Structures are given as structure tokens and as C-alpha cells.
Amino acid sequence: MNANGILVRVDGVEKVFHRGSEDIHVLRDLHLEVPAGEFLALMGPSGSGKSTLLNLIGGLDRPSRGTVTVGGERTDQMSDRHLAGWRARHIGFVFQLYNLLPVLTAERNVELPLLLTHLSRAERRKHVETALAVVALSHRSNHYPRTLSGGEQQRVGIARAIVTDPTLLLCDEPTGDLDRKSGDEILNLLQALNRQHGKTVIMVTHDPHASARASRTVYLNKGQLSDRPVD
Amino acid sequence: MSFAHLVWSNLKRKKLRTLLTVLSVTIAFVLFGLLSSIKQALTGGVSLEGANRLVVQHKVSIIQLLPVSYKARMERIPGVAAATHQTWFGGYYQDRKYFFMQNPVVPEEFLEMHPELILPPEQKQAWLRTRTGAIVGRKTAERFHWKLGDRVPIQTPIWTKSDGSTAWDFDVVGIFDGKEKTDDTMSFFFHYDYFDEGRARGKGEVGWFTIRVKDPAQAAAVAKLVDQEFENSAEETRTEPEGAFLQAWVKQIGNIALMTAAILGAVFFTILLVTGNTMSQAVRERTGELGVLKAIGFTNGRVMALVLAESCVLAALGGVLGLGCACILVPALAKPLSTMLPMFFFPVRDLLAGSGICLALGVVTGVFPALQAMRLRVADALRRM
């Protein structure tokens, strides 16, 4: 985080995908600053580059041009190995389709990121219990994903994202596959993580109802950001 | 949870597929164990015979006899430490199907020439003083339930006695063992004098000579000198190392090593494809999950290790099961096969080689899917969830 309290800084970023001889410009000279502790909603039509931007911030992809700085570190310059370690320490991902491993129980899915730490088995267990308690799923810890509802699976996904106590939560349409009631529960949870636990949250969404929970909403269209929705 | 738990959970994902793959590998390793044991049974004696021994046979064929007087001439050749002879008796006990090797020998010379045979001293003395005495290998003694003091008749279609009979009586005075597991304990040896006096024809003739050379490094030169000694005589000789002599016997049924290598090569190549296909499918099916692992911080190396570990566990499970089954099956088959394959056992060196093949199979079948997993771009992989 810099002196102004900015956790994420995206500066002059361009992202070009190459499909055969065709260049597809997904992001164009994009600038974004996210202060620490903010709950930012990122909206825009399909194909506008929301997920691409989220991937760049989370170090899952690299910009074609420009810089991405998170917590004072230039992620666009890190090696793959360094970036993997950095993600494990600083970023929690929440996916639209939960992306749980079907062969592991809820608690073991949550424990996965902790395998990369030096914590003892007992310490890992404690962290897992805490994370599952935060998402109110302690009683379902031994269940496999296929036996959980969509909302419950997403809560497991959130527990997995927060178990390492990351600085930044990146949520890619976390309510996109849920009904309104379950979606609201997830939004309540994200809001609580932001307000009570001080997590910075960046959430990609199509849903105005979801973005209303954020402290700020930005709109992405044709690779460029604005503060107002595009017609 | 540990890394190992993650590997195991992934293998349990498609239980039937994993089971079938493990079974394929198991069968391959059972075959490996059986074929190694057959190869051992057919060629085992060859490689372990004394490097300092030469065998002298008739130049034309092993069935042509040589004069026993050649022995004294051989012993005068420089480099020859000792010489002794044997003759093919070709007999059987009670029924033609109970065939085994019997050879008339000069007992003292024979035992000195073959220190790998263990015979208790009192039995040795009994053999030396008993004209009709014979010593028999442990396996044959057990096969026919012979014990010391038994009188056993052996029929031979080759050597008729002076009285027209083809049955020769022997007194079992010794039962010998081998120093090594691979030493032959199927044979039966008796006095040449008893044989020579009793036979109706061929007196003074023997099947082949065994020579011990003073310096194994000079064996080839000595062999040449022996053959030169009998050049242009009525019975010319062919001298070769004992190993090569036995190898020639074995080659009558083909090149065993090549045949087993070819069969095993085909089996393992098929298994390579089966296991490789299983692993490739396993990686393709969970591209998205591998992407998730990378997203939460698993390095490329760790993801590669995960896939490699899975293929190694698959191969190890099949390999351990297969080699274990072979270790149980081979001794169980050894007894019924003992008449045809007396040295049928699974050699430790082949067991170790099997373990090595097992590990190599795991690595080779896993390496390409593992590289594929390692090279996955996270953002692309997540789109395939």
C-alpha cells in the first residue's frame, strides 16, 4: 500500500489477445486506483474485459503494456514462481462457479491454500475452522461439494479465499450462479468481510443489485473505464 | 491434509478407471515375473558356471565319443591344471517321463573340478569306496523321495550292459547341494569304472572332458592348444568355455533372452500407452481445477509434481501388486514345473529391475501430462472450469 492508502494501482494498462492474425484489444490505456478497505464493484457488458482486468490485478495474467501495482509491488514484473507465491499470500479468489475440488470435503477445499504455508497440521486446522465459522458452515465441514447447495458451495469458496488472511479479495461474479436469497447471503458476507475485517474487495458483476452493496462502482466498456454506466 | 492426500483423492476420482489401469500394470508385472523366472530357469546355469573351466567335445558333435586316453594328453598341455570326463547316460527312473541327467564320472576328479557342489565328507568317503554308489542332487532326491542307502534302478536306452540288460542298479550314498541357488541339484553322478566295465560297447570312450585352466585369462589360448593337440587325429576336438558349451544346449530352444525381451517389450509398450492415456485424460478432465490450484498459489513445478506423483503412484500400485503376485506365483509353480524347469525362480536382480521399470513407467507415463499441466496458463484454465 502506498502513502495515499492506494492498494491497487493499474496504470496505462493495455491487454491484447492474438487470435490467428487478428489482434483483439480488450483493455486500452486503462487507469484504476483502489484504496485499501474499499469495496469496488466492476460492471460492464459481456466481453467488456471485466474478468481480464480482475485477472491482471490478481496476477493470473500479464498486461500487454502498462503497470499493475498491488500493495506496492509491481506484479507485472514478477516471475511466474514469484507471482504464484505472491498470490498465495495476498490474494483471495472467489469464482462464479465456486471452483471447488469435487474430490475434497469442504474443510479440505478450504485447507488447500494452507498447504503452501509452513503452518503445522494443528494450526492449519484452526485456520480452517475459523474460516468456516466466518462463513457459518462449520456444521457442513465434512461434506463434499456435490452435497452442498450452490450458496453453501460459494461460502466454502469464500472460506477458501479468506483462510490465508489475504489483503485483497477478487470476486468474479460471485452471485452469478445463485438465486436471489443465496446471492444476498453471499453479498452480506462480502460486505461483512469488507466492513468488519477490513478486506479490500473488488467484485465483477452484471447485477445492479449486487453492485449496490459496493462502496463504489466503476463501469468498463470497450476496454475503458468510466464512473457512469454506458448506454 | 497433505500433498499425498491430494494425490490419492485425485486417483479416487474415477475409481473404475484407476482400478483398470492398476490391473493392467499388475498383469504386465506378473508377466514380467513369470518370464524372468522362465528365462532364469532356461539360462540360469549358463552365466554362473566357472570361468576357469573349458569343455572339450568331439569336433563333429556332442554325441560322438572321445577316447578316455585323451585325458592324460590334455593334462600335459601347458596351462591345464586338471582334466576329467563325463558321459551322457540318458536314463530314466521307472518311467520315461521321469527323466533327469545321469553321468558317469571319476568321483575324486569330478568333486575337485566342481567345488560348487556340497557333499558331506562322510558321504564323499562312502561314494569313493562304493563301486555302485551314486550321488544325487537334492531336488531329484526329493522328487523321487530317495534317501541314503536306497538302491535305485535306472533304465537307459543308450547303454546296454554286457548281459543284455538296460537296467543299471545304483546305491544312493550321497545327496549334494549347490553353493548357489542357481547350481544344478537335479543331476545324478556315479562311478565311471562301474559304467565302463558294465557296458557292452564303447569301452574306453567318454562323452566330453572338462578342463580347469591355471589362469582364466589364458583360457582361449589353452583351448586352442587343446584342439591343436588332437588335430588330424581320428577324433578331433572342439574346446570352448563351459558357459558357451551350456549356452549351446540352451540355444537349441532359441534365443531365450531375446524372446523374453521381445514379449516384455510389447507388454510394457502397451502398458505405457494405457497408463499414459489414463493420465492424459485425467489432466484434460481437470484443466479447470489445475487452474484453481495455480490461482491460489500452487507453482507450475508443484502442479507438475502433483501429476507426476499421480502417475508414479498408479505405476507403483500396479508394480508392487504385480511383482508381489509374481513372488507368490513363481514358488507355487516351481514345484509342478520342477521336472521341466528345475531352476524356476524369480531372481532378486530381476525383482530389483522390475522395481526400476515400475518407477520408470510412472515417470515416463506422467511426464507429458505433467508438462501439459505445468504449461497451462491460469486464466485459460479457469475458463475451462
Side-chain angles (χ1 to χ4, degrees):
Chain A
M1 190 165 55
N2 72 8
N4 304 324
I6 299 299
L7 179 68
V8 178
R9 183 189 299 277
V10 176
D11 202 10
V13 158
E14 290 192 17
K15 182 66 185 175
V16 183
F17 289 111
H18 306 283
R19 189 179 295 160
S21 57
E22 189 188 3
D23 287 348
I24 302 163
H25 292 263
V26 179
L27 301 176
R28 297 167 188 270
D29 192 25
L30 193 139
H31 297 267
L32 173 70
E33 287 184 347
V34 182
E38 186 172 45
F39 186 164
L40 176 77
L42 188 57
M43 292 190 75
S46 294
S48 60
K50 305 183 295 295
S51 296
T52 301
L53 178 57
L54 206 66
N55 288 344
L56 293 179
I57 294 169
L60 300 181
D61 206 351
R62 293 170 193 279
S64 306
R65 187 177 295 170
T67 64
V68 178
T69 310
V70 181
E73 292 187 85
R74 282 277 301 274
T75 58
D76 56 288
Q77 289 181 330
M78 290 179 189
S79 67
D80 283 351
R81 189 183 167 81
H82 190 182
L83 202 54
W86 175 84
R87 283 198 300 269
R89 288 189 302 276
H90 300 292
I91 308 291
F93 289 98
V94 179
F95 304 98
Q96 179 181 359
L97 296 174
Y98 335 123
N99 292 13
L100 302 177
L101 268 61
V103 292
L104 301 179
T105 59
E107 65 178 354
R108 288 194 159 143
N109 264 291
V110 176
E111 192 184 353
L112 262 181
L114 297 178
L115 290 183
L116 306 170
T117 66
H118 297 294
L119 294 176
S120 69
R121 198 175 174 154
E123 288 169 321
R124 290 205 306 263
R125 186 162 190 82
K126 204 172 162 190
H127 279 70
V128 170
E129 282 170 4
T130 306
L132 282 170
V134 168
V135 299
L137 266 186
S138 302
H139 62 294
R140 306 282 271 167
S141 62
N142 288 321
H143 286 68
Y144 284 90
R146 64 177 179 276
T147 64
L148 300 173
S149 69
E152 286 174 326
Q153 288 189 56
Q154 191 58 294
R155 280 194 274 158
V156 175
I158 292 172
R160 180 180 66 189
I162 61 173
V163 74
T164 53
D165 194 21
T167 325
L168 179 61
L169 282 182
L170 299 177
C171 312
D172 194 355
E173 305 207 35
T175 59
D177 205 49
L178 299 174
D179 57 36
R180 176 52 58 88
K181 182 173 174 291
S182 303
D184 278 342
E185 285 171 7
I186 295 302
L187 292 169
N188 289 341
L189 196 52
L190 291 175
Q191 216 165 21
L193 287 167
N194 172 249
R195 288 179 183 168
Q196 291 162 26
H197 299 270
K199 300 291 172 204
T200 305
V201 180
I202 302 177
M203 175 178 69
V204 164
T205 183
H206 273 109
D207 181 5
H209 178 76
S211 67
R213 301 294 195 97
S215 47
R216 178 165 69 112
T217 300
V218 290
Y219 300 88
L220 192 59
N221 189 37
K222 294 180 182 168
Q224 299 208 303
L225 280 175
S226 71
D227 292 332
R228 277 173 298 204
V230 182
D231 296 333
Chain B
M1 184 174 68
S2 61
F3 191 71
H5 182 94
L6 191 55
V7 171
W8 186 239
S9 297
N10 282 326
L11 286 174
K12 285 195 303 183
R13 177 187 304 257
K14 303 262 180 182
K15 290 191 182 73
L16 183 63
R17 185 172 67 193
T18 300
L19 182 72
L20 291 176
T21 308
V22 168
L23 277 179
S24 312
V25 179
T26 301
I27 289 167
F29 278 96
V30 170
L31 267 177
F32 172 81
L34 292 177
L35 286 174
S36 297
S37 305
I38 291 172
K39 183 179 147 208
Q40 169 63 36
L42 294 174
T43 63
V46 174
S47 55
L48 293 158
E49 291 308 324
N52 61 345
R53 291 201 293 252
L54 299 173
V55 170
V56 185
Q57 65 171 75
H58 197 287
K59 191 174 182 179
V60 176
S61 145
I62 186 76
I63 60 167
Q64 304 287 112
L65 301 176
L66 295 170
V68 71
S69 59
Y70 273 20
K71 176 179 176 290
R73 288 172 66 184
M74 283 176 197
E75 284 173 338
R76 286 198 293 272
I77 293 170
V80 174
T84 190
H85 57 78
Q86 297 187 40
T87 305
W88 183 253
F89 190 66
Y92 57 87
Y93 176 61
Q94 293 179 337
D95 191 288
R96 278 181 190 274
K97 67 183 178 188
Y98 297 137
F99 170 80
F100 56 101
M101 191 173 87
Q102 317 92 19
N103 293 342
V105 298
V106 178
E108 250 179 334
E109 288 175 1
F110 172 77
L111 289 175
E112 198 184 322
M113 185 65 75
H114 294 276
E116 70 272 18
L117 303 185
I118 302 167
L119 185 68
E122 67 283 2
Q123 293 180 19
K124 179 184 172 185
Q125 291 309 316
W127 192 29
L128 293 179
R129 63 174 179 264
T130 312
R131 194 165 156 274
T132 55
I135 59 167
V136 58
R138 176 81 54 197
K139 279 189 178 163
T140 296
E142 285 173 356
R143 181 182 171 198
F144 298 124
H145 308 291
W146 290 344
K147 53 189 187 303
L148 296 180
D150 281 357
R151 192 168 184 81
V152 296
I154 304 290
Q155 292 278 350
T156 170
I158 306 173
W159 301 106
T160 310
K161 289 167 81 174
S162 307
D163 61 6
S165 146
T166 54
W168 295 67
D169 289 329
F170 299 99
D171 295 302
V172 177
V173 294
I175 294 172
F176 65 85
D177 293 291
K179 275 186 184 160
E180 305 290 337
K181 200 175 180 181
T182 49
D183 288 331
D184 171 28
T185 57
M186 291 284 288
S187 304
F188 180 99
F189 300 104
F190 56 94
H191 282 260
Y192 170 74
D193 289 347
Y194 173 53
F195 166 69
D196 197 44
E197 285 163 25
R199 61 179 162 172
R201 60 170 183 86
K203 288 184 188 289
E205 289 182 326
V206 296
W208 66 90
F209 290 89
T210 306
I211 285 176
R212 190 173 68 246
V213 295
K214 289 174 181 165
D215 177 7
Q218 297 299 316
V222 173
K224 203 170 174 185
L225 285 176
V226 171
D227 290 341
Q228 277 172 1
E229 171 72 22
F230 303 107
E231 218 166 35
N232 300 320
S233 67
E235 280 89 17
E236 290 189 294
T237 59
R238 189 170 81 224
T239 307
E240 55 193 0
E242 194 173 42
F245 173 74
L246 293 171
Q247 191 88 57
W249 279 92
V250 170
K251 274 190 177 164
Q252 291 179 42
I253 50 171
N255 189 334
I256 308 300
L258 186 67
M259 281 194 291
T260 49
I263 296 170
L264 286 174
V267 169
F268 280 111
F269 182 69
T270 310
I271 291 305
L272 203 72
L273 298 183
V274 169
T275 318
N277 183 48
T278 301
M279 286 311 300
S280 293
Q281 247 181 313
V283 167
R284 265 199 313 275
E285 281 168 3
R286 40 186 242 264
T287 301
E289 287 178 31
L290 294 171
V292 172
L293 290 179
K294 287 189 176 192
I296 64 176
F298 277 62
T299 58
N300 289 334
R302 209 177 267 262
V303 169
M304 184 183 178
L306 181 71
V307 176
L308 258 184
E310 283 173 34
S311 69
C312 285
V313 169
L314 261 186
L317 275 175
V320 168
L321 271 175
L323 292 174
C325 287
C327 285
I328 294 168
L329 212 55
V330 169
L333 289 173
K335 202 160 186 185
L337 289 175
S338 65
T339 51
M340 286 187 296
L341 303 169
M343 280 193 275
F344 184 76
F345 68 91
F346 193 11
V348 173
R349 63 160 199 282
D350 288 348
L351 184 62
L352 293 175
S355 310
I357 291 172
C358 177
L359 186 68
L361 185 71
V363 173
V364 172
T365 54
V367 74
F368 291 107
L371 281 171
Q372 191 187 341
M374 188 188 89
R375 287 175 186 151
L376 272 178
R377 290 181 65 245
V378 194
D380 293 341
L382 286 173
R383 273 195 281 273
R384 289 190 243 167
M385 191 74 193

